[in-house]
């Protein structure tokens, strides 16, 4: 079947691509390669290949090592020559600016720890997902020590005009996105309100270092936005230009990184702050096949983790060892930064043989709490705060001695 | 259904775990969340979450930035205190050694670029896979500048006895692995022959730096093995001990990281050297949904990539723009290290509108060549050298101007 799809070109001409649009979709039968069915799509797997979570044992580090921090690459990582790089600041400003990296590094320098999280963190735990979105486990997180210069100072130098209400950030990463009947060529773009970025309490930075090192290419070299406490997609990487505008961007990444009932929902809400969530370091050791956790019986195990709420103070972290039926409060560490996660610990006492499902949840100073529901009205599966599940088998002492054999039936982890 | 599975403990007692072993396996119907079926399992997706590929545009860098290099985490990343760390060297040696990091760093220091590749690189392109193995795309690769001390010197100090024929490496990463009816508690272990490690031409190192920095936790901090040219699993991370033995290890990771017809194949061959392979930087820009590549028509496009063959000289790289029907030779760059990949380039001339599938393959000095077959007799899907596929749509000039709309029907990428 030849589609004969018609493609408009920039100069208004039309061009018909005469190819078989369906030839490369293999028949479903060709994919019967396992007895343990699920239906994660090849698109999800390909997406996941370009986006990786943090190993949850990395929650032990207050500052996540580079390479362990979660990473989402939306289009490609562009290769940028720092010497030739220029940041353009234009639109509704009195003085258009063109800044090179020497200029940017000569500006006031701020270093702060900030937790970052993907909008779709935990999506794999929802049964209803969009078929081509990254199936994140509860691991699309990380906390880095970011260094940069306040965006506010740059905009003050440019002189925002009174009619500027929004600031549009365009990355150098280019791709095509949109519904199959009319995808759009585009650079990655998000916008923020002038009110938000000009409020110095909000600490919006143009960053050029992570953990004391120049940004690696995949984190936005040479310059990226940091909107601390906001979800990952708002932190535009590889910034090409900043444009002051009189209207908010509602298309492209403002459309797709949003809470919406469907792809055309006029009442969509673009993703902003991270939600309220706690995560734990899975205790014990894993098995290779099913990624359950395995422990020996003991009088007590210290469970540890981190919690965050997009800059709000974490008021409470609760832990459940019975899959969420009952909850007990954890002990909170001292915070180490307004925008950074806070550590917590919980003593699980009387750990006796059996099977357990551990969970943890957080509550912030405004009473927001991690919630258990699948957000079925959330078309893009962005609204997920479902408390993490950690499946644990506890055995008698000595069971987990090296080279001991134990049966491990195939089990799906709790989702 | 309660399994009542019986677990032996180290002291010989038996313990019956009285839990419902199947309760957590959700019914297949619950997973009907998309029209575009595949059947990647939740295990594959969870595995992929802990293992990430290199972004192929990263082939532009001769030395892969940290965090872009592929990473496989088999069990957990252990947290190791460098000050308390000691490497034990024992077994069939005349002088048992206990070395701290100061001692190791005071030894002869070698820095070299080496390409690393996972045994299962490209596995997602096979229709026949083991259901819980990581579904790698063609991206489980990377080249780093590794720094360490030759293993040979350490073994010379220990004084290998004449009856030592193999050297066993044990990591600090502990887990459970094996068939469901008798998985085994274990530390990650691989062994190498004394002949191989004592041959200084083979450059086997105990490494403590990557790209001029201390190893990050996920790359084996504080000390890991580098067997240059060998597949990833042989490069044991977080080394706890090195033991000289009189027999080759045949169990555990020597069993599973092997070429075998089934899980009990007595003729299995443990994975050793990387195979012969070329990869290219996908040209043009991606679309978000299907990860096809999109280009405008032009007189010529330079395709670039890298090729490697486990330390053998690359004799030839060929490129196909018609899905592998016809092949043309690429131009090879000068090699920059015996164990590092070599760059190549190819001018694709007369790039006219239409749909193309690009591929590349390599041939080494011994005539080994990337091959197209699914290795269906390879139980673990380790024997994959299938040339990469890159699906490309070429459009008339102007089509890919920002904000231009083009239809993009859902298409699976070639596998």
């Amino acid at each position: 079947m030849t589609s004969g799809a018609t493609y408009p070109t920039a100069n208004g001409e039309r061009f018909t691509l005469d190819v078989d649009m369906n030839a490369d979709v293999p028949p479903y039968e060709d994919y019967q390669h396992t007895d343990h069915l699920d239906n994660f799509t090849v698109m999800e797997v390909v997406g996941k290949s370009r986006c990786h979570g943090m190993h949850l044992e990395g929650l032990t580090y207050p500052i996540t090592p580079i390479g362990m921090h979660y990473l989402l690459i939306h289009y490609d990582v562009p290769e940028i020559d720092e010497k030739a790089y220029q940041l353009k600041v234009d639109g509704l400003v009195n003085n258009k600016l063109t800044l090179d990296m020497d200029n940017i590094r000569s500006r006031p320098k701020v270093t702060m720890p900030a937790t970052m999280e993907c909008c779709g963190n935990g999506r794999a735990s929802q049964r209803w997902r969009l078929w081509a979105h990254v199936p994140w486990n509860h691991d699309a997180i990380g906390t880095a020590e970011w260094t940069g210069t306040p965006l506010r100072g740059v905009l003050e130098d440019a002189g925002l005009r009174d009619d500027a209400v929004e600031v549009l950030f365009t990355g150098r990463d280019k791709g095509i996105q949109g519904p199959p009947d009319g995808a759009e060529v585009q650079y990655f773009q998000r916008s923020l309100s002038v009110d938000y970025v000009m409020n110095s309490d909000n600490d919006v930075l143009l960053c050029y270092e992570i953990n004391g090192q120049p940004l690696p290419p995949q984190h936005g070299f040479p310059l990226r936005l940091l909107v601390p406490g906001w979800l990952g997609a708002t932190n535009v990487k590889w910034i090409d230009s900043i444009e002051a505008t009189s209207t908010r961007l509602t298309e492209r990444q403002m459309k797709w990184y949003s809470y919406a009932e469907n792809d055309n929902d006029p009442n969509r809400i673009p993703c902003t702050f991270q939600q309220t969530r706690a995560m734990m370091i899975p205790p014990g050791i894993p098995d290779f096949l099913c990624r359950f956790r395995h422990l020996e019986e003991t009088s007590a195990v210290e469970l540890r983790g981190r919690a965050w709420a997009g800059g709000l103070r974490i008021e409470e972290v609760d832990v459940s060892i019975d899959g969420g039926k009952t909850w007990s409060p954890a002990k909170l560490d001292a915070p180490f930064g307004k925008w950074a996660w806070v550590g917590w610990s919980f003593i699980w006492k009387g750990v006796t043989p059996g099977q357990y499902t551990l969970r943890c949840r957080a509550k912030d100073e405004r009473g927001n709490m991690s919630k258990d529901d699948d957000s079925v009205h959330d078309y893009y599966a962005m609204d997920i705060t479902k408390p993490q599940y950690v499946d644990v088998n506890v055995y008698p002492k000595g069971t987990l001695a090296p080279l001991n054999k134990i049966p491990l039936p195939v089990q799906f982890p709790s989702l």
Side-chain angles (χ1 to χ4, degrees), chain A:
Chain A
M1 185 184 101
T2 297
S3 74
T6 299
Y7 295 75
T9 66
N11 61 12
E13 288 172 29
R14 291 287 181 276
F15 157 65
T16 301
L17 188 61
D18 188 23
V19 294
D20 184 341
M21 286 299 186
N22 293 304
D24 289 314
V25 182
Y28 175 54
E29 302 86 87
D30 284 354
Y31 281 79
Q32 299 296 326
H33 45 237
T34 166
D35 292 322
H36 299 278
L37 282 168
D38 236 32
N39 68 345
F40 284 93
T41 69
V42 68
M43 303 310 177
E44 291 185 285
V45 169
V46 167
K48 191 105 184 203
S49 195
R50 301 184 57 79
C51 300
H52 67 85
M54 192 185 76
H55 305 95
L56 289 184
E57 58 271 34
L59 286 166
T60 194
Y61 307 102
I63 301 297
T64 312
I66 295 174
M68 216 173 199
H69 193 290
Y70 102 88
L71 188 69
L72 182 148
I73 304 297
H74 192 92
Y75 297 130
D76 281 3
V77 178
E79 189 180 5
I80 298 177
D81 174 4
E82 183 181 330
K83 291 200 182 69
Y85 173 80
Q86 290 187 317
L87 172 68
K88 297 178 279 292
V89 184
D90 54 23
L92 304 176
V93 297
N94 294 316
N95 318 300
K96 295 188 179 183
L97 303 178
T98 304
L99 306 177
D100 62 19
M101 285 305 298
D102 285 345
N103 178 293
I104 287 164
R105 272 191 289 260
S106 71
R107 291 172 171 273
K109 186 171 177 173
V110 172
T111 295
M112 72 171 103
T115 295
M116 203 176 284
E117 180 182 28
C118 181
C119 304
N121 192 18
R123 182 181 289 135
S125 73
Q126 294 212 154
R127 289 173 183 191
W128 195 89
R129 309 185 307 276
L130 204 60
W131 65 271
H133 276 191
V134 176
W136 289 113
N137 296 99
H138 287 97
D139 54 8
I141 47 168
T143 295
E145 195 88 53
W146 298 98
T147 296
T149 193
L151 172 64
R152 181 184 174 176
V154 170
L155 294 178
E156 282 171 349
D157 284 4
L160 288 173
R161 285 175 24 187
D162 288 348
D163 50 348
V165 297
E166 198 82 0
V167 186
L168 176 66
F169 302 87
T170 303
R172 290 263 184 109
D173 42 336
K174 188 181 182 186
I176 306 177
Q177 191 172 350
D181 57 353
E184 197 174 37
V185 182
Q186 58 199 272
Y187 288 94
F188 192 97
Q189 288 187 315
R190 288 278 303 191
S191 79
L192 290 169
S193 75
V194 165
D195 282 352
Y196 195 84
V197 298
M198 296 309 280
N199 181 338
S200 59
D201 288 346
N202 292 333
D203 291 334
V204 180
L205 295 185
L206 295 171
C207 284
Y208 45 85
E209 287 180 13
I210 178 173
N211 294 4
Q213 299 181 27
L215 294 176
Q218 71 273 17
H219 281 293
F221 179 87
L223 195 67
R224 69 170 299 164
L225 190 62
L226 177 73
V227 193
W230 285 43
L231 288 158
T234 59
N235 298 268
V236 177
K237 288 185 273 195
W238 313 292
I239 303 180
D240 186 65
S241 69
I242 299 175
E243 184 189 352
T245 64
S246 60
T247 54
R248 162 171 289 191
L249 177 70
T250 56
E251 294 300 307
R252 300 182 281 289
Q253 305 312 326
M254 292 298 275
K255 178 174 177 185
W256 296 306
Y257 285 105
S258 70
Y259 308 113
E261 295 209 3
N262 57 62
D263 204 34
N264 298 308
D265 186 349
N267 300 317
R268 68 182 56 237
I269 302 167
C271 296
T272 57
F273 289 98
Q274 298 152 11
Q275 300 200 63
T276 303
R277 201 195 288 264
M279 296 292 297
M280 75 171 74
I281 301 173
I285 60 170
D287 65 90
F288 182 76
L289 286 187
C290 303
R291 293 279 155 192
F292 273 51
R293 307 297 304 187
H294 307 275
L295 281 177
E296 291 186 357
E297 64 181 327
T298 178
S299 57
V301 166
E302 186 184 44
L303 302 175
R304 291 188 299 130
R306 311 250 170 208
W308 61 96
L312 296 178
R313 187 173 50 75
I314 291 291
E315 191 173 288
E316 188 180 314
V317 169
D318 302 318
V319 173
S320 173
I321 59 166
D322 56 11
K325 288 188 204 104
T326 62
W327 298 87
S328 306
K331 179 169 167 273
L332 296 180
D333 299 345
F336 67 95
K338 177 181 174 187
W339 304 109
W341 53 24
V342 62
W344 60 262
S345 58
F346 176 85
I347 307 295
W348 176 15
K349 291 181 185 153
V351 181
T352 54
Q355 197 169 50
Y356 302 86
T357 298
L358 313 183
R359 308 192 73 186
C360 57
R361 69 180 181 194
K363 189 165 89 173
D364 66 35
E365 59 183 300
R366 294 194 191 153
N368 302 309
M369 200 168 209
S370 322
K371 59 185 186 300
D372 226 354
D373 326 326
D374 260 24
S375 292
V376 290
H377 299 298
D378 173 22
Y379 183 75
Y380 305 105
M382 301 283 178
D383 183 23
I384 310 136
T385 59
K386 187 183 280 194
Q388 174 192 17
Y389 287 95
V390 181
D391 297 299
V392 175
N393 281 350
V394 178
Y395 307 92
K397 280 194 199 307
T399 308
L400 299 182
L403 308 192
N404 197 29
K405 282 192 159 53
I406 55 177
L408 273 184
V410 172
Q411 295 169 99
F412 282 96
S414 299
L415 284 178

